C-alpha cells in the first residue's frame, strides 16, 4: 500500500525531492537536464517561487515557496487536461511536470514504465535555520555524492546563479538575505554544517 503524502499548503516553503525508480538514472545527458528545467519553468514557475535546486544523475532537490491564489496568474498556468482545473493544486502541477518529463525521456530513449520512485517527497520548512541548512544541503549535494570537489564547479545547481549577477527567475536576493549578505552566503556554504535537523531527507 503506497504511503499517503501530506498535502502541499499555499504560502509555505517546501523541500521537494525524489529519485529514480529502483535508484536508476533520471538524467541521461545534458539535454535531459535542460529538458527538465524547461518543463519545470512551464509547470512550476506559475505556482511557486524557486529558491534553490540541484539535479543529479538519479535524483533531484528543489526548494520552493508555494504561492497563494492571489499571487498566481491563471493565464500562465500549464496543466495536462483540456479543461482548466477548478482548484489550483501544487501537488498536481508537480505531477504534471514529472509525468511530462517521463513521457519525453521514455520516447527519446525508447524505454517504458516509471522513471521516478513513487510519489515525490515533500518536507515543509518550519524555521529560518532549517531553511538555511536545506539550501546548504541542496547546493552541497554534488560534493556529498562525489560528483565534484567544489560546488562552484557543478553545472546543474542554483549555486552559481545565486552568486552571479546574470538574469534569473530564481529568488536570488531573497536567498542572499537569508544569510544577510552574499559573503555570508558563500562562507556558510564553504563551512561544515550540522545537518542533524534535516537528515530525514538525505538521499543516499
Amino acid at each position: 500500500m503506497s504511503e499517503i503524502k501530506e498535502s502541499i499548503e499555499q504560502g509555505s516553503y517546501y523541500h521537494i525531492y525524489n529519485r529514480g525508480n529502483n535508484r536508476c538514472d533520471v538524467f541521461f545527458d545534458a539535454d535531459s537536464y535542460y529538458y527538465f528545467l524547461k518543463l519545470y519553468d512551464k509547470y512550476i514557475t506559475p505556482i511557486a517561487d524557486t529558491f534553490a535546486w540541484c539535479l543529479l544523475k538519479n535524483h533531484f532537490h528543489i526548494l520552493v515557496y508555494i504561492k497563494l491564489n492571489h499571487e498566481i496568474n491563471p493565464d500562465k498556468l500549464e496543466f495536462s487536461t483540456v479543461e482548466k482545473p477548478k482548484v489550483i493544486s501544487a501537488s498536481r502541477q508537480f505531477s504534471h511536470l514529472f509525468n511530462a518529463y517521463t513521457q519525453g525521456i521514455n520516447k527519446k530513449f525508447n524505454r517504458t514504465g516509471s522513471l521516478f520512485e513513487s510519489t515525490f517527497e515533500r518536507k515543509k520548512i518550519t524555521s529560518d535555520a532549517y531553511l538555511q541548512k536545506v539550501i546548504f544541503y541542496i547546493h552541497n549535494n554534488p560534493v556529498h555524492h562525489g560528483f565534484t570537489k567544489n560546488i562552484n564547479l557543478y553545472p546543474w545547481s542554483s549555486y552559481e546563479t545565486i552568486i552571479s549577477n546574470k538574469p534569473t527567475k530564481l529568488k536570488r536576493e531573497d536567498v542572499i538575505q537569508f544569510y544577510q549578505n552574499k559573503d555570508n552566503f558563500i562562507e556558510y556554504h564553504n563551512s561544515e554544517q550540522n545537518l542533524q535537523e534535516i537528515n530525514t531527507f538525505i538521499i543516499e
Side-chain angles (χ1 to χ4, degrees), residues 13-14 40 44-52 62-67 71 169-171 174:
Y13 291 88
Y14 284 91
Y40 181 90
I44 306 305
T45 299
I47 58 96
D49 290 326
T50 303
F51 289 79
I62 300 164
L63 175 63
V64 294
Y65 163 81
I66 305 300
K67 296 177 183 178
E71 298 173 307
K169 293 181 180 180
L170 194 76
K171 303 298 283 185
D174 298 71

Side-chain angles (χ1 to χ4, degrees), residues 65-83:
Y65 163 81
I66 305 300
K67 296 177 183 178
L68 297 167
N69 279 336
H70 73 268
E71 298 173 307
I72 298 172
N73 181 350
D75 294 333
K76 293 186 177 180
L77 197 62
E78 294 281 354
F79 39 87
S80 60
T81 57
V82 176
E83 196 173 326

Side-chain angles (χ1 to χ4, degrees), residues 28-45:
F28 302 93
D29 55 15
D31 286 343
S32 300
Y33 292 96
Y34 284 123
Y35 182 55
F36 183 90
L37 293 173
K38 179 181 177 181
L39 291 175
Y40 181 90
D41 188 44
K42 176 181 178 181
Y43 289 108
I44 306 305
T45 299

Side-chain angles (χ1 to χ4, degrees), residues 30 35 58 63 74 85 92 99 106 113 117 136 138 143 179 181 184:
Y35 182 55
N58 72 345
L63 175 63
R92 200 167 294 147
N99 290 338
N106 282 356
E117 197 174 77
F136 168 88
I138 289 174
V143 177
Y179 303 86
N181 56 57
N184 284 348

Side-chain angles (χ1 to χ4, degrees), residues 66-124:
I66 305 300
K67 296 177 183 178
L68 297 167
N69 279 336
H70 73 268
E71 298 173 307
I72 298 172
N73 181 350
D75 294 333
K76 293 186 177 180
L77 197 62
E78 294 281 354
F79 39 87
S80 60
T81 57
V82 176
E83 196 173 326
K84 280 193 174 186
K86 294 179 180 178
V87 178
I88 298 172
S89 166
S91 294
R92 200 167 294 147
Q93 289 302 117
F94 275 103
S95 294
H96 292 332
L97 161 65
F98 303 138
N99 290 338
Y101 179 74
T102 297
Q103 289 171 15
I105 291 299
N106 282 356
K107 183 176 180 180
K108 179 177 179 179
F109 293 98
N110 195 29
R111 68 180 300 280
T112 59
S114 306
L115 184 61
F116 294 102
E117 197 174 77
S118 65
T119 308
F120 66 93
E121 301 287 344
R122 73 291 304 266
K123 294 290 183 182
K124 189 175 180 179

Side-chain angles (χ1 to χ4, degrees), residues 4-18:
I4 298 175
K5 306 293 183 183
E6 65 175 292
S7 60
I8 296 179
E9 300 173 1
Q10 292 183 323
S12 297
Y13 291 88
Y14 284 91
H15 176 198
I16 306 291
Y17 57 103
N18 206 352

